[in-house]
Amino acid sequence: MANKRRKAREAALQILYMLELGRPQTVTTAMIRYWEHDWVVESDCHLCRLECRDRDKAKSRSSTPVNLQAESDFTKKLVDGVRKNREMIDQEIEKHSLNWKLNRMSYIDRNILRIAIFEILYCDEIPLKVAINEAIEIAKTYGDKSSAPFINGILDQVK
């Protein structure tokens, strides 16, 4: 389960990142684009046939269709939850990030924080430590060298 959830968190991060950049403009399109890129040869993706740099690069996954469904369900829960509660989540981030305005944070750090805070505040089945540790590990992969300590410092204050 943990592996599927990690992949779902990473997928949610990438989808929220795409949406924040405004391309694509809808959650549905972003989800389709993410999942199609993750499973097919990108030249077969109808949404980006002309614009994708890696369109001839095959993708590989070890997940089965059953795992994919569980992963995509949790991804959707995270993306929808962050978007629905974004104003309150962003207020929580700003409350605990002294000297850092939300718009000064990197897109990656900001969205990792949003996902983790959504999990902390709205997903009772996920222990606080798990939400924080997952955010830190994802920050180590997708952020820069200061992302993990920065995210840890903020999330340690959220209850």
Side-chain angles (χ1 to χ4, degrees):
M1 178 67 86
N3 193 21
K4 286 184 277 189
R5 288 209 168 170
R6 169 74 59 84
K7 290 178 183 177
R9 288 177 180 100
E10 291 175 349
L13 172 63
Q14 292 177 49
I15 290 164
L16 290 167
Y17 180 85
M18 284 191 284
L19 290 166
E20 193 161 0
L21 292 176
R23 192 169 177 187
Q25 295 179 351
T26 69
V27 174
T28 302
T29 305
M31 299 267 305
I32 290 169
R33 181 172 281 178
Y34 177 81
W35 292 113
E36 281 195 7
H37 279 221
D38 217 27
W39 278 94
V40 302
V41 174
E42 292 180 355
S43 59
D44 295 335
C45 176
H46 69 280
L47 291 171
C48 66
R49 200 166 276 132
L50 299 174
E51 66 189 51
C52 186
R53 292 180 199 186
D54 297 326
R55 66 177 164 262
D56 296 321
K57 181 175 146 191
K59 298 290 183 172
S60 63
R61 289 283 293 234
S62 59
S63 296
T64 65
V66 173
N67 288 345
L68 174 64
Q69 184 62 50
E71 191 178 316
S72 66
D73 289 347
F74 189 56
T75 299
K76 185 167 178 20
K77 177 180 180 174
L78 294 173
V79 170
D80 290 345
V82 166
R83 290 180 55 87
K84 178 182 174 190
N85 300 289
R86 185 168 157 177
E87 187 176 324
M88 195 201 357
I89 291 169
D90 285 354
Q91 287 173 2
E92 193 71 19
I93 293 170
E94 287 195 328
K95 180 169 86 173
H96 298 295
S97 59
L98 302 176
N99 302 320
W100 275 96
K101 296 289 182 203
L102 205 58
N103 64 353
R104 288 186 55 219
M105 294 177 196
S106 76
Y107 288 107
I108 297 294
D109 292 354
R110 182 169 51 226
N111 283 297
I112 291 171
L113 285 166
R114 286 174 176 155
I115 292 166
I117 291 172
F118 170 75
E119 288 186 57
I120 291 167
L121 299 179
Y122 298 99
C123 299
D124 295 333
E125 74 278 11
I126 299 172
L128 175 68
K129 277 187 153 183
V130 171
I132 293 172
N133 287 339
E134 285 293 303
I136 293 167
E137 291 305 313
I138 291 169
K140 289 176 184 176
T141 301
Y142 292 94
D144 62 28
K145 65 182 179 184
S146 64
S147 293
F150 175 71
I151 286 169
N152 186 32
I154 291 174
L155 293 179
D156 274 346
Q157 301 174 62
V158 176
K159 302 288 184 229

